[in-house]
């Protein structure tokens, strides 16, 4: 247990404030379109998206939400789009892990914004990578028409979801859909491309064009219920398989389907009985510096995340600015690659800055990644990285070659990768430590994370110099006061973009979590990944 000095207490107070802000944001976001809209759902005899998921999943089980903060601060001219108008994540039905996607009709009637399409595709990606069954709880007005040009025709737009429906079907991934509200136009294909589609009587409807459009297009007078309600599609068209009197009856049927589902081949990752860390995880709050440039020992953080605080370090005396080693998290074997934030001393007596990747560290990490692939051990990257070392000594020592070696090994890794950003995530360091571009199965951030090309201070000074030079080229002089004001404006704007919530809103990360939730995220992530057999590792070309 660390000595709780003034610095520890200061760090702890600051981090608890960050966690409180996180919980406050979570509570607000989970209200979706607000209490009034929730009440309207209930008045129609419908459950909300979150209530449907809670009823569907096993009582007392965990639900790992993906993309809670997606869309935060976006589309404010249209009233906002909390959680991108869709609630999604990994949950359990009759003990079976699955992916659940539920349109939130309290947010613009569940309409699809551009970020909604991105979130839905991310959820399908998780299902495909991990070969998890998918449940779609459909209640959507379709494309948000004022932004149709940003959601309809491109490769990663709305239509990609239906392509994924077909691909998942060919992969043997079970897809079950329940039409619990509106399901219109192109969106009608999603449930019908699933393996089984059910519909709730009187509240569910599905058609390519609603009654108003039918009247305008062909002059036919018909109401929506007769056009595409539950009776029509279960008794006349045969489009849907079964109808149910209410949401709960429909969800009960989905549970019954999972209760009879067969089992498939698994990857075979090693798991033993879970043991809590010996070191108190709550001490992370006090160990993580409130001043992000201050050093700390990353091993102190790792020992509060892993089972029994046992960590078998790899090459402990070499490449010290990256820590590598094996441990267990909730019983699962895992290989950890983490940036060491304290200043370290090499055997030659040289001092290396914490959080910076040097040639020897990159070389060590590449070798460790290959070893974990050889032994079928999932990888966990813990990011607090400023980037690769620069300067003539680093360049002459081959930092580009060694960095490329690490990136190559990481990119070609076939065991599942998971990323937790706890502090800085800058520049090429983000890439080498398995940023979003390198397909981590899950990527989450702590409230203390920052994600950008470079730190706020460095970027602001660079941007200021560009602006000042541009003004001078126009023959304009700038006073010291104006320069200070301009620097503050640039710094504030850039710092907003550094926020983990800014990243989460755009799905650069899957969410922001309390550090105490890290073990749950990694455990559920490896359990999900265990459903998908691992291919043979082939690292490709690596210069030695």
């Amino acid at each position: 247990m660390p000595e709780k000095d003034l610095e520890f207490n200061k760090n702890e107070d600051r981090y608890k404030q960050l966690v409180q802000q996180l919980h406050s944001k979570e509570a607000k976001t989970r209200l979706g379109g607000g209490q009034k809209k929730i009440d309207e759902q209930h008045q129609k005899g419908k459950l909300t998206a979150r209530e449907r998921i809670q009823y569907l999943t096993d009582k007392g089980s965990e639900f790992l939400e993906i993309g809670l903060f997606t869309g935060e601060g976006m589309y404010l001219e249209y009233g906002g789009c909390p959680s991108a108008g869709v609630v999604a994540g990994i949950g359990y039905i009759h003990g079976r892990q699955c992916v659940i996607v539920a349109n939130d009709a309290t947010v613009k009637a569940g309409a699809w914004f551009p970020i909604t399409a991105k979130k839905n595709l991310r959820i399908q990606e998780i299902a495909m990578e991990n070969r998890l069954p998918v449940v779609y709880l459909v209640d959507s007005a379709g494309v948000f028409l004022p932004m149709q040009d940003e959601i309809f025709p491109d490769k990663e737009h709305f239509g990609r979801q239906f392509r994924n429906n077909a691909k998942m079907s060919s992969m043997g991934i079970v897809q079950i859909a329940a039409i619990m509200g509106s399901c219109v136009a192109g969106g009608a294909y999603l449930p019908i491309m699933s393996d089984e589609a059910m519909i709730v009587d009187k509240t569910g409807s599905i058609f390519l064009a609603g009654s108003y459009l039918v009247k305008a297009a062909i002059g036919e007078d018909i109401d929506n219920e007769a056009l595409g309600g539950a009776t029509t599609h279960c008794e006349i068209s045969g489009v849907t398989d079964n109808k149910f009197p209410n949401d709960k009856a429909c969800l009960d049927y989905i549970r019954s389907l999972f209760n009879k589902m067969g089992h498939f081949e698994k990857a075979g990752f090693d798991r033993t009985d879970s043991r809590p860390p010996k070191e108190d995880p709550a001490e992370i709050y006090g160990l993580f510096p409130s001043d992000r440039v201050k050093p700390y020992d990353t091993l102190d953080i790792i020992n509060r995340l892993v089972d029994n605080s046992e960590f078998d370090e790899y090459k402990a005396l070499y490449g010290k600015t990256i820590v590598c080693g094996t441990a267990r998290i909730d019983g699962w074997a895992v290989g950890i690659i983490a940036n060491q934030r304290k200043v370290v001393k090499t055997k030659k007596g040289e001092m290396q800055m914490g959080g910076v990747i040097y040639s020897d560290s990159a070389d060590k990490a590449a070798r460790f990644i290959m070893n974990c692939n050889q032994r079928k051990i999932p990888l966990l990257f813990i990011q607090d990285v400023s980037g690769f070392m620069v300067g003539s000594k680093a360049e002459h020592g081959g930092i580009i070659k060694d960095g490329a070696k690490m990136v190559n090994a990481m990119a070609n890794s076939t065991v599942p990768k998971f990323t937790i950003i706890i502090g800085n995530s800058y520049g090429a360091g983000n890439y080498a430590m398995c940023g979003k571009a390198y397909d981590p199965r899950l990527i989450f951030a702590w409230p203390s994370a920052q994600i950008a090309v470079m730190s706020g201070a460095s970027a602001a000074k660079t941007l200021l110099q560009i602006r000042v030079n541009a003004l001078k080229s126009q023959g304009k002089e700038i006073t010291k006061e104006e320069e200070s004001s301009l620097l503050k404006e640039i710094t504030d704007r850039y710092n907003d973009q550094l926020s983990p919530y800014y990243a989460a809103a755009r799905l650069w990360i899957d969410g922001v979590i309390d550090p105490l939730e890290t073990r749950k995220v990694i455990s559920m992530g490896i359990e999900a990944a265990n459903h998908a057999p691992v291919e043979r590792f082939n690292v490709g070309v690596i210069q030695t």
Side-chain angles (χ1 to χ4, degrees):
M1 180 174 175
E3 184 181 343
K4 295 187 177 180
D5 57 12
L6 184 62
E7 187 69 22
F8 183 99
N9 292 334
K10 178 183 172 185
N11 293 340
E12 186 177 47
D13 288 345
R14 179 255 184 181
Y15 217 109
K16 284 183 175 179
Q17 288 176 9
L18 290 178
V19 171
Q20 181 57 43
Q21 290 169 9
L22 168 63
H23 293 329
S24 178
K25 280 178 174 286
E26 287 174 336
K28 181 180 178 182
T29 305
R30 288 190 175 116
L31 286 173
Q35 191 59 51
K36 183 180 176 182
K37 294 291 185 181
I38 292 172
D39 292 341
E40 288 175 4
Q41 286 287 101
H42 292 161
Q43 287 162 13
K44 294 175 183 175
K46 298 165 67 176
L47 299 175
T48 65
R50 293 184 182 280
E51 289 167 344
R52 288 166 178 165
I53 290 173
Q54 185 177 23
Y55 186 86
L56 178 63
T57 52
D58 297 342
K59 284 187 173 67
S61 66
E62 297 282 5
F63 180 70
L64 178 58
E65 185 162 356
I66 305 295
L68 172 63
F69 295 116
T70 308
E72 182 178 275
M74 300 170 68
Y75 315 120
L76 297 181
E77 66 274 29
Y78 299 113
C81 187
S83 289
V86 62
V87 182
I90 300 172
Y92 297 88
I93 303 174
H94 277 293
R96 303 289 294 264
Q97 215 177 31
C98 63
V99 165
I100 304 171
V101 187
N103 300 115
D104 187 351
T106 71
V107 179
K108 291 287 185 295
W112 282 51
F113 286 74
I115 196 68
T116 313
K118 185 173 183 179
K119 181 172 178 177
N120 276 269
L121 293 178
R122 171 59 179 150
I123 300 303
Q124 288 186 319
E125 179 184 45
I126 289 171
M128 293 167 81
E129 285 181 330
N130 298 295
R131 298 189 178 242
L132 291 177
V134 188
V135 177
Y136 302 105
L137 305 179
V138 184
D139 193 347
S140 173
V143 167
F144 186 64
L145 286 176
M147 304 189 75
Q148 66 86 27
D149 62 318
E150 297 180 48
I151 189 175
F152 171 64
D154 210 347
K155 180 178 179 180
E156 299 296 328
H157 283 178
F158 188 70
R160 185 77 171 183
Q161 180 175 245
F162 314 133
R163 173 265 189 194
N164 287 349
N165 286 143
K167 289 290 185 182
M168 282 192 278
S169 182
S170 70
M171 293 167 67
I173 296 172
V174 174
Q175 298 174 84
I176 297 167
I179 301 157
M180 312 184 85
S182 298
C183 184
V184 301
Y189 287 104
L190 183 145
I192 310 311
M193 292 186 74
S194 299
D195 299 299
E196 190 160 345
M198 55 228 55
I199 187 168
V200 178
D201 197 18
K202 300 297 186 282
T203 56
S205 60
I206 177 170
F207 33 65
L208 295 180
S211 56
Y212 292 121
L213 186 54
V214 167
K215 173 70 173 174
I218 63 173
E220 182 182 2
D221 281 309
I222 190 169
D223 61 55
N224 283 338
E225 185 63 26
L227 180 66
T231 299
T232 295
H233 285 309
C234 286
E235 299 180 22
I236 301 173
S237 72
V239 166
T240 53
D241 301 307
N242 286 293
K243 70 175 179 178
F244 298 90
N246 53 51
D247 283 7
K248 288 185 177 180
C250 185
L251 297 169
D252 285 337
Y253 181 72
I254 294 175
R255 286 186 57 80
S256 74
L257 294 178
F258 270 79
N259 194 30
K260 302 173 186 69
M261 200 179 292
H263 293 268
F264 299 88
E265 181 186 359
K266 294 195 174 183
F269 302 127
D270 189 63
R271 190 180 197 184
T272 59
D273 291 337
S274 176
R275 300 165 73 186
K278 273 187 180 176
E279 304 290 348
D280 184 3
E283 290 174 351
I284 289 172
Y285 297 159
L287 291 166
F288 201 90
S290 55
D291 181 349
R292 67 189 318 106
V293 300
K294 282 193 174 180
Y296 64 90
D297 191 344
T298 300
L299 288 170
D300 288 337
I301 304 296
I302 292 173
N303 286 334
R304 285 158 179 81
L305 295 176
V306 301
D307 287 12
N308 209 36
S309 300
E310 293 177 352
F311 179 66
D312 298 322
E313 193 168 355
Y314 171 77
K315 286 183 177 286
L317 302 178
Y318 178 75
K320 295 181 182 180
T321 63
I322 286 184
V323 173
C324 298
T326 53
R328 291 189 182 275
I329 292 180
D330 196 26
W332 292 105
V334 63
I336 297 174
I337 301 103
N339 302 110
Q340 176 57 279
R341 286 296 308 192
K342 70 177 184 180
V343 177
V344 299
K345 191 175 184 179
T346 69
K347 193 173 182 180
K348 296 178 181 178
E350 299 168 332
M351 304 305 291
Q352 293 184 339
M353 292 185 291
V356 176
I357 302 175
Y358 290 77
S359 282
D360 53 357
S361 301
D363 174 70
K364 177 174 82 171
R367 291 171 184 270
F368 180 72
I369 290 166
M370 289 188 282
N371 284 348
C372 286
N373 274 271
Q374 198 78 348
R375 300 166 193 171
K376 202 187 282 190
I377 301 174
L379 292 167
L380 169 60
F381 292 82
I382 301 176
Q383 287 196 17
D384 191 352
V385 59
S386 303
F388 284 88
M389 190 57 190
V390 296
S392 60
K393 188 172 183 180
E395 298 292 0
H396 297 170
I399 187 67
I400 295 174
K401 177 188 70 176
D402 290 317
K405 187 190 304 181
M406 178 180 174
V407 170
N408 195 320
M410 181 270 299
N412 282 297
S413 176
T414 57
V415 294
K417 300 171 292 202
F418 302 89
T419 302
I420 303 291
I421 304 171
I422 67 174
N424 302 331
S425 180
Y426 299 150
N430 170 283
Y431 295 166
M433 292 294 292
C434 196
K436 184 65 181 288
Y438 292 86
D439 298 325
R441 296 292 178 94
L442 295 173
I443 176 168
F444 280 83
W446 289 0
S448 46
Q450 288 190 349
I451 305 162
V453 171
M454 62 180 74
S455 71
S458 299
K461 288 174 183 175
T462 303
L463 292 167
L464 175 67
Q465 195 58 49
I466 293 170
R467 291 277 292 273
V468 169
N469 289 341
L471 289 169
K472 284 182 178 178
S473 69
Q474 297 168 16
K476 298 176 183 176
E477 290 297 323
I478 184 168
T479 66
K480 286 291 181 186
E481 291 77 14
E482 289 171 333
E483 190 171 314
S484 296
S485 176
L486 190 56
L487 178 60
K488 183 180 184 306
E489 176 194 326
I490 292 170
T491 302
D492 289 347
R493 186 173 66 251
Y494 195 87
N495 282 340
D496 285 342
Q497 296 176 5
L498 285 171
S499 163
Y501 299 104
Y502 188 92
R506 290 152 182 80
L507 269 178
W508 302 344
I509 55 176
D510 293 318
V512 183
I513 57 168
D514 183 335
L516 303 186
E517 294 288 297
T518 306
R519 281 172 55 84
K520 180 189 89 171
V521 168
I522 300 306
S523 176
M524 288 185 69
I526 297 177
E527 183 183 353
N530 199 38
H531 290 83
V534 175
E535 296 176 3
R536 180 180 173 275
F537 177 63
N538 185 355
V539 76
V541 178
I542 285 189
Q543 291 185 330
T544 57

